[in-house]
Amino acid sequence: MEASGRCRRHLPVLLLWVNGLMMLGLAGVHQQINLCNESLMLERLPACGKFFEEMMKKVDSKKWCNLTEFITYYNIFTQCTEREANDASCFWPNPLAESFITGIHKQFFLNCTLDNVHWEDPPDEILIPLILIPVMLTCAMIMLVVWCSKRSDILG
């Protein structure tokens, strides 16, 4: 009885001590706080842009608005900017990286607008089944519900 009372008195002290260890990082959890080295990031990002620029030279400038023509190059560019930001201990995206990426967009995609999008219906061979299948399934489900409700004496 006396031992359990002593344990109860020392428990808050023990909990505070463990909490203190955890806050100091002495409990096996080591937190390292790195500050973003913006100048290093801004120094390295142009290499990503230069690579993207070299790759875009392979694409006809008339096809620059067609993402399928250069998606691989853009993906490599994005990964490069993310890697360089992370290597400089900066989160990604951040305002500086975003402004750099926006500059690349202005350089290559300024004339790409959504105003020229011309939507077309798919061919009739595709469109008719896409319309008829849901309509037929809906009719079949309605007929099944009506039939089951009339046959409730047998099914229930």
Side-chain angles (χ1 to χ4, degrees), residues 91-117:
F91 63 91
W92 187 91
N94 61 58
L96 291 174
E98 284 180 359
S99 67
F100 177 77
I101 293 168
T102 302
I104 294 291
H105 280 221
K106 287 179 182 175
Q107 180 180 350
F108 291 100
F109 314 122
L110 186 62
N111 296 326
C112 299
T113 62
L114 296 177
D115 297 340
N116 330 10
V117 176

Side-chain angles (χ1 to χ4, degrees), residues 77-91:
F77 168 70
T78 304
Q79 289 175 352
C80 180
T81 58
E82 183 175 3
R83 181 179 56 251
E84 295 302 341
N86 289 335
D87 287 350
S89 300
C90 301
F91 63 91

Side-chain angles (χ1 to χ4, degrees), residues 10 17 23 27 30 60 73 80 83 88 94 105 111 144 149:
H10 293 296
W17 182 72
M23 294 298 287
H30 186 272
D60 183 15
Y73 306 143
C80 180
R83 181 179 56 251
N94 61 58
H105 280 221
N111 296 326
L144 182 64
S149 65

Side-chain angles (χ1 to χ4, degrees), residues 34-43 84-85 87-90 96:
N34 292 330
L35 297 176
C36 176
N37 188 344
E38 293 176 348
S39 59
L40 177 64
M41 182 184 63
L42 289 175
E43 182 181 305
E84 295 302 341
D87 287 350
S89 300
C90 301
L96 291 174

